[in-house]
Amino acid sequence: MRADHPRDHWVKVADGLLDAVTPYATPGFAQYRLPGRTSWAGPESDGLEGFARTFLIAAFRLAGDPANAPATLLERYAEGLAHGTDPGHEHAWPPIADGHQTIVEAASIAIALHETRPLLFDRLDPDVRERVVSWLGGIVGKHAWPCNWVLFKVIVEQFLAGVGGPYDQGEIDRHLADVERWYVGDGWYTDGAGQNYDYYCGWAIHLYTLWWARMSGADATVYKERLRTFLDGYRHFFAPDGAPMHQGRSLTYRMASLAPLWLGTLFDASPIEPGTTRLMAGRTLDHFAAHGAPDERGLLTLGWHRPYLPMTQGYSGPASPYWASKGFLGLLLGPDHPVWAAPATEPGDGDLALALPAPGWLLHRTDGVTRLVNHGSDGNDPDSAKDDPHYTKLGYSTHTAPETGPGGRAENIDNHVTVLLPDGRATRRRRIERIGIADGFAASRYTDGEVVVESASVLDGPWEVRVHRVTAPAGSVVREGGHALASGEPCDVALDGLTASVSATLTSEITGLHGWRTAQAALRQDENAYGPHSATPFLVGTHPGRHAIFVSAVRLDRGSPAQAPDIRVEGDRVSWNDAAGSRVSVTLGREPSYARNRSVGDRVVWTG
């Protein structure tokens, strides 16, 4: 791992990515037909995506240091613009259509053109400029999906307004108003209506609202303050070694997770010191490079560390990973910007326990591993109840991924409480109903038919103590899993009474504290984005009927010895002394509550 990450290093990596895709360009450079699975939008759209997303990397590279802009790079993308917008060319771009991927890619092209305007757009042949404006203008009046997509239209139409092209100010205003309705406080937006909290809040909504202000000249004060507040929590989504949190969709964009960090510096809206921003971003870049991204061809593939299609979405094509370009927007900060010269202050790698009430999450770090405890984001809009393992699990981390292969998705063991009914049906946590969140505590419930599972998580040293109140028919089986651990080699498994642990470079452990009968481990092949061999520790218990309490302790760390808490259960109330000597009590049911009486300092009390 590099001790520091100068701008020249980022330029070198960007140039390497751009050089590596060049052999896959179609004649005239209008499309980049990269190897890999075609998306549901088709090969022409995928080829446009290859142009648009690599153009964004090139634009940041060129605009940040125009005095050293490589002429070949300018010529390549100028040629691509000329041929892509020429209807008579064999690789012309498909026209922008309702709800089509062309809307997404048009926004990347618009930002790239805006940032390189003096170098590129203004120097295009007048006929080419007219064709570019005409192609982009096809977005006016088109339907965009009611999520971050509306901001693609805002960006494109704002660019068109600046170059004398067609635009609809009413559409811009209407879509910005849509985004306002999705703001939930503490710097967080949901991606459309519902509980859709993920990286899109940062790499899309914060980015495009601020870029609209940059393009339009509008007052950005509100957007800046929201980003600053957001970054105060988001900075902890990265482990000390640079690994980002593995949660939400489109994770194959990888380094795009860095976009909000650079954005804060670019807009003077960050609570993070400039040198720390550079160090954090560089460590994440190094993290992926050390794990095979880019690969031996210099390409970014569909996957996380390795190529792995089950973690991707149907809209993901072979060029989709190049939205990693957003992670390179720091290159817009030119060679003389203080971010490149500021002392590289450490971000801190100590223990962390942080509540994020807006998305309904707790962040928990010990032993250099950061976990996300999820009691608020289910990835669903109000009219649907999907079951997506990237959203509906109880926990995520910077060093593990949910089981997303067909077997893992079907059985749904890791970080999930499942009730197996007497008729053989298995319940699933689809829609999360929040109960409450406080310092070191979060709780929620899910309902599936006649079954109700109420769950509370309490952070206690290296442990997440989980308290479940399960309503189910007598004879049902209750099952709960810890974190799925994956590696290049089979994991070691240890079963000791009501404790199950699996180990590789890390240890994932779950211990039954009340209500459980056995501890087991599920072993799988090629079901996990982190490696071909994966294992999940889990507990099994029998339900007596009506309401029953189950308590477990879950941890994910580097294998440091830890004693699980000694709990007491009285009806719906569970209590224990935590690792700091404080008395903790959790009650679920009709009158949920949480209290932590600290031996010194504040007393935390929450009641529903």
Side-chain angles (χ1 to χ4, degrees):
M1 183 177 291
R2 298 177 60 89
D4 205 349
H5 302 82
R7 190 177 187 279
D8 287 350
H9 176 65
W10 284 87
V11 169
K12 182 179 179 180
V13 175
D15 286 348
L17 290 171
L18 292 169
D19 289 345
V21 300
T22 304
Y24 301 95
T26 57
F29 297 102
Q31 297 184 29
Y32 289 79
R33 299 285 186 93
L34 299 174
R37 182 200 66 192
T38 302
S39 77
W40 61 29
E44 284 193 346
S45 178
D46 290 349
L48 165 62
E49 190 170 59
F51 175 90
R53 299 190 178 197
T54 59
F55 185 24
L56 203 54
I57 302 178
F60 297 151
R61 160 82 167 91
L62 295 166
D65 189 10
N68 294 302
T72 54
L73 202 55
L74 285 164
E75 292 164 2
R76 187 191 316 166
Y77 283 95
E79 189 175 349
L81 289 164
H83 294 309
T85 57
D86 179 1
H89 194 272
E90 62 175 325
H91 295 298
W93 301 335
I96 297 175
D98 288 334
H100 194 268
Q101 188 68 26
T102 45
I103 293 176
V104 183
E105 306 318 318
S108 290
I109 292 171
I111 288 178
L113 288 172
H114 178 267
E115 296 303 322
T116 60
R117 184 172 174 178
L119 291 170
L120 183 55
F121 182 77
D122 290 346
R123 297 182 182 182
L124 292 173
D125 182 272
D127 289 342
V128 175
R129 280 204 308 270
E130 186 176 337
R131 290 204 308 268
V132 170
V133 168
S134 176
W135 185 83
L136 290 171
I139 204 169
V140 180
K142 296 300 190 296
H143 168 71
W145 299 111
C147 59
N148 67 90
W149 275 50
V150 302
L151 287 170
F152 304 144
K153 292 192 62 180
V154 168
I155 289 294
V156 175
E157 294 192 43
Q158 192 60 56
F159 172 75
L160 290 167
V163 297
Y167 72 101
D168 183 336
Q169 187 62 46
E171 282 195 336
I172 294 174
D173 295 341
R174 190 161 58 251
H175 289 323
L176 289 171
D178 290 336
V179 174
E180 277 303 299
R181 287 193 293 272
W182 302 333
Y183 184 68
V184 296
D186 296 334
W188 279 90
Y189 298 84
T190 174
D191 186 17
Q195 298 188 122
N196 300 296
Y197 300 103
D198 55 24
Y199 281 114
Y200 276 88
C201 179
W203 70 34
I205 299 181
H206 278 294
L207 189 149
Y208 290 122
T209 50
L210 278 162
W211 229 280
W212 166 77
R214 179 178 173 92
M215 296 168 80
S216 67
D219 184 359
T221 302
V222 170
Y223 294 136
K224 287 181 179 182
E225 287 308 308
R226 288 177 181 177
L227 176 62
R228 185 183 301 276
T229 303
F230 172 78
L231 286 172
D232 216 27
Y234 183 77
R235 64 191 299 173
H236 301 297
F237 275 58
F238 302 85
D241 65 3
M245 187 63 62
H246 194 95
Q247 180 272 341
R249 64 189 176 96
S250 300
L251 291 169
T252 195
Y253 301 160
R254 297 181 177 95
M255 289 84 82
S257 58
L258 297 172
L261 302 181
W262 291 122
L263 196 68
T265 301
L266 182 66
F267 285 90
D268 191 23
S270 180
I272 309 170
E273 292 296 323
T276 305
T277 294
R278 183 184 74 252
L279 187 62
M280 290 177 66
R283 284 180 175 173
T284 297
L285 189 68
D286 288 350
H287 170 81
F288 283 112
H291 289 89
D295 68 8
E296 67 280 356
R297 300 165 297 178
L299 299 178
L300 297 174
T301 57
L302 286 167
W304 184 247
H305 289 164
R306 61 185 182 125
Y308 190 69
L309 292 178
M311 63 157 283
T312 64
Q313 289 71 40
Y315 56 75
S316 302
S320 293
Y322 285 83
W323 236 23
S325 55
K326 295 184 175 187
F328 287 79
L329 71 82
L331 288 176
L332 274 178
L333 305 168
D336 297 328
H337 192 281
V339 75
W340 304 113
T345 52
E346 285 287 337
D349 58 1
D351 292 355
L352 171 76
L354 178 67
L356 298 175
W361 290 338
L362 302 176
L363 293 181
H364 185 209
R365 184 177 64 229
T366 57
D367 218 5
V369 179
T370 307
R371 280 86 67 191
L372 185 157
V373 179
N374 176 34
H375 288 276
S377 181
D378 53 27
N380 289 314
D381 62 43
D383 299 321
S384 68
K386 303 185 296 294
D387 178 23
D388 188 330
H390 291 107
Y391 291 94
T392 55
K393 300 291 189 178
L394 277 165
Y396 299 92
S397 91
T398 50
H399 290 75
T400 61
E403 301 277 58
T404 48
R409 281 181 182 252
E411 199 164 8
N412 200 23
I413 293 177
D414 59 289
N415 278 314
H416 190 271
V417 179
T418 304
V419 178
L420 305 167
L421 294 161
D423 63 6
R425 185 173 68 88
T427 64
R428 302 183 82 90
R429 188 192 198 212
R430 293 182 176 89
R431 188 177 297 283
I432 296 172
E433 180 185 348
R434 301 185 186 197
I435 294 175
I437 187 167
D439 180 20
F441 163 85
S444 64
R445 70 172 61 84
Y446 83 84
T447 302
D448 190 348
E450 62 191 308
V451 173
V452 178
V453 178
E454 301 165 78
S455 300
S457 297
V458 178
L459 307 185
D460 181 358
W463 298 99
E464 175 200 346
V465 179
R466 296 176 180 173
V467 178
H468 309 289
R469 184 180 188 268
V470 181
T471 303
S476 299
V477 173
V478 181
R479 183 185 66 204
E480 179 188 12
H483 292 268
L485 196 63
S487 179
E489 301 294 332
C491 299
D492 295 326
V493 175
L495 303 177
D496 182 10
L498 288 178
T499 295
S501 65
V502 297
S503 300
T505 54
L506 300 176
T507 294
S508 173
E509 180 175 311
I510 188 167
T511 295
L513 303 181
H514 181 81
W516 304 103
R517 180 168 43 88
T518 62
Q520 302 176 38
L523 308 182
R524 297 199 176 276
Q525 292 270 354
D526 206 31
E527 296 271 348
N528 196 287
Y530 272 77
H533 302 278
S534 57
T536 305
F538 67 97
L539 301 169
V540 177
T542 302
H543 199 285
R546 297 194 65 194
H547 314 299
I549 298 293
F550 296 82
V551 186
S552 61
V554 173
R555 70 186 181 107
L556 174 71
D557 54 32
R558 303 190 187 280
S560 305
Q563 179 66 43
D566 182 16
I567 67 161
R568 182 176 182 180
V569 178
E570 300 170 288
D572 289 337
R573 182 175 181 268
V574 180
S575 59
W576 70 95
N577 290 327
D578 69 12
S582 303
R583 189 64 178 170
V584 179
S585 68
V586 175
T587 302
L588 295 173
R590 294 183 62 182
E591 298 181 354
S593 65
Y594 159 70
R596 189 180 301 225
N597 299 310
R598 303 189 187 279
S599 53
V600 292
D602 297 335
R603 178 172 182 259
V604 179
V605 177
W606 174 89
T607 56

